[in-house]
Amino acid sequence: MIILMYLILLATIHAKMELMAEGKGGWGLNFPCWRINNCIINILINKELTGYHFYMCLMFFLLFHSPFFFMTWTFKKELTALGLFFWYWVIEDFLWFVESKHYGLRNFKKGRIYWHKRWKLGLPMSYWWSIIIGVILLILGR
């Protein structure tokens, strides 16, 4: 439970910072960074990859692995770290919408968010994949 609370706190801070930087655009629309949009990227994340999001993801990947500087690495601990990493992005992205005055929960739906193209049961498909992969990794890491 404390790990979930920590994830929510970290994701809330990150979402608020990102909102201040991105403003109305969302998904780094107005950021002066490189962008890749090809068939491989579309299969993996179904939206363009921005330099900002690549490096932010890399930074949090490293952050989620920083406890290994203070404890012995094991395969099960690695699975747990990866599972939490996948869940983190769902929490942070959803909180971005909760906190956004330009989108908000009223616009959290298919057709209103240009970078979330595929939806199922009221959530972007990327959320479903991250939740499912995260649950599998956390179960295997127990």
Side-chain angles (χ1 to χ4, degrees):
M1 184 62 160
I2 195 150
I3 292 175
L4 180 59
M5 290 171 38
Y6 177 75
L7 283 180
I8 292 170
L9 176 64
L10 187 62
T12 300
I13 294 167
H14 181 192
K16 287 179 177 286
M17 288 173 48
E18 203 168 57
L19 278 166
M20 286 188 262
E22 288 181 322
K24 189 177 183 178
W27 197 250
L29 182 65
N30 299 314
F31 285 175
C33 59
W34 54 261
R35 298 164 191 283
I36 298 173
N37 194 4
N38 60 36
C39 63
I40 295 170
I41 296 297
N42 279 323
I43 290 168
L44 293 174
I45 63 173
N46 195 38
K47 54 190 148 211
E48 74 178 358
L49 176 64
T50 69
Y52 166 80
H53 289 96
F54 174 81
Y55 288 113
M56 185 63 68
C57 189
L58 180 60
M59 182 180 75
F60 275 91
F61 179 82
L62 295 173
L63 178 68
F64 275 72
H65 284 80
S66 63
F68 294 124
F69 286 112
F70 309 102
M71 68 171 77
T72 303
W73 180 92
T74 67
F75 186 67
K76 286 191 170 205
K77 288 177 187 173
E78 177 68 25
L79 294 175
T80 300
L82 291 173
L84 293 171
F85 177 73
F86 273 89
W87 274 35
Y88 173 79
W89 291 112
V90 174
I91 296 167
E92 187 277 334
D93 194 70
F94 181 72
L95 289 173
W96 188 95
F97 290 101
V98 169
E99 296 287 331
S100 174
K101 65 182 179 185
H102 302 291
Y103 285 91
L105 287 179
R106 71 189 177 287
N107 289 312
F108 187 73
K109 56 184 91 168
K110 186 177 183 175
R112 296 283 181 101
I113 305 161
Y114 73 90
W115 61 92
H116 284 305
K117 297 171 187 159
R118 290 184 281 192
W119 291 67
K120 192 72 157 182
L121 302 173
L123 292 175
M125 282 304 296
S126 60
Y127 283 26
W128 288 112
W129 285 115
S130 291
I131 290 167
I132 291 166
I133 292 169
V135 165
I136 291 168
L137 291 168
L138 289 170
I139 288 170
L140 293 173
R142 293 186 88 201

